[in-house]
Amino acid sequence: MRLSALLISLLWLPFLANADLKHYVASLEESQWRISGNNPVMCRLEHDIPAYGKAVFTSVAGKHHNLNFTLDMWVKPDQVTEAKLISKAPAWRPGILSKAITDLTYQKYFNGEVPRNAAWSMLAELESGMQPTFYYADWYNQTNHIAVGLSAVNFRRQYTQFKACLSSLLPYSFEDIAFTVLTYESGGTQLTRYAKAQINRVQEYLAYDQHVDVVLIDAYTDSYGDRSANQQVSVQRADSVKDIFVASGIPQNRIHTMGHGERRHVTSNQTIDERARNRRVVIRISKPL
């Protein structure tokens, strides 16, 4: 154990020994953490790094637990840069050994990102009072070195709120509801039981995600019955779905509906099951990247 800790220390000791090391980290007075996203579709925890940028932990709704860390730099890398992420003790905790978290590659003109498992490790280190720190050579002058640290001061209270937010994330993502097909019972505008569950899920997501750009609703019928009546039924189905989304807070001018009647069948109309597939509303949702 002591040998391993010594080897890790030797990895970053040259940086500290270098007289040209430039260290960016919030002081005791400057260190602030804040929750900038707290709802069932997105949780975000941020920390400002004076004169450098900010650190951002983000998790979004989805089937699996996810966590993204971004080192949002004021000045983006001018070339591909290798970096080391190390957990070190702050100056007021002498005698505690540092440990490596992961090696990273910064891409040219992009913010620094950290793999999911390493991002969770960073949170664990911060919770224990340690200071995750990035070390890399200055891309403008390779003889100079940069250290960028995340201060654990004032971290725990905001982290508790962040974890509470994580526990409330919806178990499905935007991609899961961005293209949804609803099916109907024969005649009228009555959704099938499964379709009702689907639209409830879409409605719930839209109630929290305020960044939706456009909602396209296309409604279709089978070819059973009068053609003009089927056209009217398709329009009614599209409008009924639109009303649900408007009630969720989506502005009407961002919702576009179209009733297609008997046109554009996805299968023939020879059997009951085939006609059921043709009685459908297709919902497509987009939002800015």
Side-chain angles (χ1 to χ4, degrees), residues 27-45:
S27 66
L28 287 171
E29 296 77 17
E30 295 171 325
S31 181
Q32 295 296 327
W33 289 84
R34 64 183 178 274
I35 301 293
S36 59
N38 187 359
N39 60 59
V41 299
M42 189 270 294
C43 304
R44 180 182 290 126
L45 177 63

Side-chain angles (χ1 to χ4, degrees), residues 10 60 65 87 100 103 135 190 199 202 222 230 289:
L10 291 174
V60 297
H65 291 297
S87 176
D103 291 334
Y135 291 96
Q190 186 66 36
I199 200 168
V202 176
D222 59 26
N230 284 338
L289 297 175

